[in-house]
Amino acid sequence: MVSALSLTLVACGSKTTTAWCVDRTLPGSKGGYRVVPDSYCDKRDIERGTVSYGRYFWYYGGKRDGSTGTVSGGSSYGPSKGKIKSSSGHTLVRGGFGGGGRSGG
């Protein structure tokens, strides 16, 4: 019974969203935003759940077009639950039961 509950909790909190660091001033040719290195964005924005209004900001979800280097179809607001990983694979927020764990990474 306990192991079944554990599996359920892991499954509920296992959704992972990709956070893309993007440049607001370089829109893509087909819409969306140009992806830039993660180091241009502030990881604290993710931890605080805030949106940066500077040139660079985190864009959540969406799909990257490899030929243009842009991402579209996402949101500037992060998910309320689940894990958030940067496009380079670093875990930025560890979700889980309650979605409250935070991590810089």
Side-chain angles (χ1 to χ4, degrees):
M1 179 86 141
V2 172
S3 62
L5 178 61
S6 297
L7 289 175
T8 302
L9 293 176
V10 170
C12 289
S14 63
K15 182 172 174 21
T16 301
T17 301
T18 301
W20 307 89
C21 183
V22 297
D23 186 335
R24 183 184 314 274
T25 65
L26 294 174
S29 59
K30 297 179 183 177
Y33 297 99
R34 180 90 43 182
V35 176
V36 297
D38 293 347
S39 60
Y40 286 44
C41 291
D42 189 346
K43 291 179 185 176
R44 292 174 295 182
D45 289 339
I46 293 175
E47 294 168 0
R48 289 180 272 199
T50 59
V51 177
S52 174
Y53 292 99
R55 179 174 179 175
Y56 305 106
F57 69 99
W58 293 105
Y59 189 73
Y60 302 93
K63 186 173 181 179
R64 183 171 184 178
D65 182 337
S67 64
T68 63
T70 61
V71 63
S72 60
S75 173
S76 57
Y77 295 97
S80 60
K81 294 182 180 178
K83 295 178 187 177
I84 299 175
K85 287 195 171 194
S86 70
S87 59
S88 61
H90 292 93
T91 299
L92 302 171
V93 173
R94 296 183 194 281
F97 188 65
R102 302 284 190 217
S103 171

